[in-house]
Structure formats: C-alpha cells, structure tokens
Amino acid sequence: MLTLKQTDRIVVLTGAGISAESGIPTFRDAMEGLWSEFEPEELATLSAFKKNPKLVLDWYEWRIKAFVDKAIPNPAHMALVKWEEYFDHFTLITQNVDGLHIKAGNKNVIEFHGNIKRMKCLGHNHKFAWIRDGEEIPLCSVCNSMLRPDVVFFNELIDSENLQAANKAVRNCDVFFAVGTSGVVYPAAGYIEVAQKLGARTCVVNTDPHYPSSKRDPTVFLRGKAGEVLPNIPLE
Ligand code: NAD
C-alpha cells in the first residue's frame, strides 16, 4: 500500500484515460463517423494543417463541440483538486488538451500538450481563445498569420517552459503517479523511469493490466478506473 504524507513532493502525470469517465474519447476512439477515413497522424500535424487548414480546424472544432464543451470533471479530477490543497508540493502534468483539470479547480497544472480551446498564430505564437466561427480560417489580429490549434502536433517539440517545469518537478519528487496514460507518447512516457531512478516511489493507475511498458515495475500498480481509484487513496 502507498502511504502519502502532506510533506511528500507529489507529481501526477495524467493521460486520456482520466477523462474517459467524463465522456472524452481517446484519439483513436474519436476517429468515428465523418472522420473514420482519417488517421490522427493525418490531422494532427503541422504539414497537414499547412496543406489543408480548414480540414484540420474542422476536426478540432468537431472534437470541441462533440466532447470537450459538454464534459464535466469526474471524481478523479476532483480528487486531484483535494490533493493540490492537501500536499505542500504538488505538480500536475497533463497530456490532455481538454482543460478539465483547470475546470475542476487545479491551479498548478502543466498543460504539456497544450489546450484544445486555444489557438496560436503560425507567425509568432500569439495566443487566443478558440475564435473560429464556421467555415473561416481565422487570422492573427497582431501579425495576420493563420491561427492553428494551440496543441502539440505529432512530431512537434514540447513548449520549453513546460518541459523545464515538468523536468524539474519530476526530478525532485518523492512520489510519482501515472494515471490513465498508455505511456507511449514521449517525453512524458519517460518520466516514470526518471522518477524511479532518482528514488521516487511510483504508482500507476490504469484499467489495463499490461501497463507500464517501461523496464521497471512501479512501486504500486492500482488497476481500475481513475474515478474510482484516486478518491480512495488515503491521505495520512
Ligand atoms: P492513450 O489513449 O494512449 O491511453 C489511455 C490510457 O488510459 C490507456 O492505457 C488505458 O488503458 C487507460 N484508461 C482508459 N480508461 C481509463 C480509466 N477510466 N481510468 C484509468 N485508466 C484508463 O492516452 P495518452 O497516454 O494520454 O496518450 C494519447 C495522446 O492523445 C496524448 O498525448 C493526449 O494529448 C492526446 N489526447 C488527449 C485527450 C484529452 O485531452 N482528453 C483525448 C485523446 C487524446
């Protein structure tokens, strides 16, 4: 069993699994209906955006309207709000772009892969709330370049500030949690091993017993839905 103290430095890495109970499908599950003829890699890349910005924006806008705008935080998100209040040092690194941790009330959140409800311009990364309406391809009001989703596309680098903040938190933590992530998207997927090598206790929460694919076993594997497991982890 994992005993947690208020003074422990906690890092929680979350992935699409934590939002599944809020009705947000994983990438692959979202490739249905209209979009079933595409692979995510054909839509979530910079070259795809440059080739056909309307198609890419349509796909993101469909995901926002079909899932993200309707979703509300679930008990797993709410448990992490309590954790942030309880622990002296708490960092949440999320690979999710749905903004649900912030909607739930967490403050120290590193949105590692961006936020689907924001846009940024191709020219200078000027940021805006999602301002597209219907067919148009919106332009930056500052530099007039095209606006794209403010998410990390496949093959793009993580924002350097986010990367530094996450690296620092992982290197200094006492306990590292990986919740609802398949551990295949790097660099986030490597964090569990970094934390473990530096002496942190590690805990995986996942419905799939085959995770993690890393070389070392986590200190604790809690199999189950994040919304059922996290609220039941005792705080001392
Ligand atoms: P993933 O889809 O690769 O893996 C999800 C993991 O969660 C799986 O291991 C699965 O077994 C587990 N899981 C499913 N339901 C669960 C539950 N209720 N409780 C606990 N575990 C559960 O997700 P990933 O590792 O985050 O990587 C996919 C990439 O796709 C990420 O980079 C992310 O940016 C993006 N993405 C984000 C969202 C979102 O914002 N909600 C949705 C889809 C994809």
Side-chain angles (χ1 to χ4, degrees):
M1 195 50 218
L2 195 65
T3 320
L4 302 174
K5 306 195 295 288
Q6 191 179 342
T7 50
D8 282 332
R9 291 169 184 267
I10 308 288
V11 170
V12 181
L13 170 71
T14 63
I18 197 170
S19 292
E21 290 159 80
S22 292
I24 300 189
T26 61
F27 252 174
R28 303 236 162 242
D29 291 343
M31 308 313 289
E32 57 177 33
L34 276 179
W35 301 101
S36 55
E37 66 189 273
F38 297 98
E39 286 294 316
E41 293 82 352
E42 291 174 67
L43 296 168
T45 65
L46 187 57
S47 56
F49 178 76
K50 286 182 172 166
K51 195 167 139 201
N52 192 344
K54 180 182 172 324
L55 177 78
V56 172
L57 291 174
D58 280 350
W59 183 59
Y60 277 90
E61 193 159 84
W62 171 75
R63 287 170 63 204
I64 291 172
K65 289 184 176 157
F67 309 112
V68 176
D69 278 349
K70 292 179 187 155
I72 54 169
N74 66 54
H77 296 104
M78 298 320 296
L80 296 180
V81 177
K82 277 198 185 154
W83 286 21
E84 183 164 353
E85 284 162 10
Y86 176 78
F87 292 109
D88 296 342
H89 303 279
F90 177 86
T91 305
L92 183 47
I93 305 167
T94 188
Q95 299 167 90
N96 296 341
V97 297
D98 54 38
L100 280 181
H101 288 300
I102 290 171
K103 215 178 201 178
N106 277 113
K107 293 188 176 61
N108 194 10
V109 184
I110 300 171
E111 290 189 314
F112 212 57
H113 292 166
N115 188 308
I116 197 170
K117 296 287 296 282
R118 283 196 309 259
M119 307 186 97
K120 65 179 179 182
C121 74
L122 281 186
H124 299 92
N125 289 338
H126 296 126
K127 302 216 179 192
F128 303 89
W130 187 276
I131 51 174
R132 185 170 185 243
D133 190 14
E135 297 290 290
E136 68 179 297
I137 295 160
L139 300 178
C140 176
S141 56
V142 183
C143 69
N144 218 35
S145 64
M146 280 195 291
L147 294 184
R148 54 164 278 183
D150 185 12
V151 298
V152 177
F153 284 144
F154 286 106
N155 301 323
E156 285 190 314
L157 296 176
I158 304 292
D159 169 84
S160 62
E161 247 177 61
N162 282 342
L163 190 63
Q164 278 175 27
N167 286 348
K168 189 173 168 197
V170 171
R171 282 199 299 262
N172 290 310
C173 73
D174 300 308
V175 191
F176 179 91
F177 285 83
V179 181
T181 174
S182 55
V184 291
V185 181
Y186 279 80
Y191 280 151
I192 188 164
E193 271 192 82
V194 173
Q196 212 160 16
K197 274 185 191 154
L198 293 174
R201 289 171 288 154
T202 56
C203 177
V204 167
V205 179
N206 203 303
T207 44
D208 177 358
H210 302 301
Y211 183 88
S213 49
S214 82
K215 292 174 207 100
R216 298 165 182 231
D217 285 337
T219 318
V220 181
F221 186 102
L222 299 174
R223 186 179 173 191
K225 292 183 175 178
E228 291 166 9
V229 173
L230 290 186
N232 288 312
I233 293 179
L235 304 177
E236 202 171 72

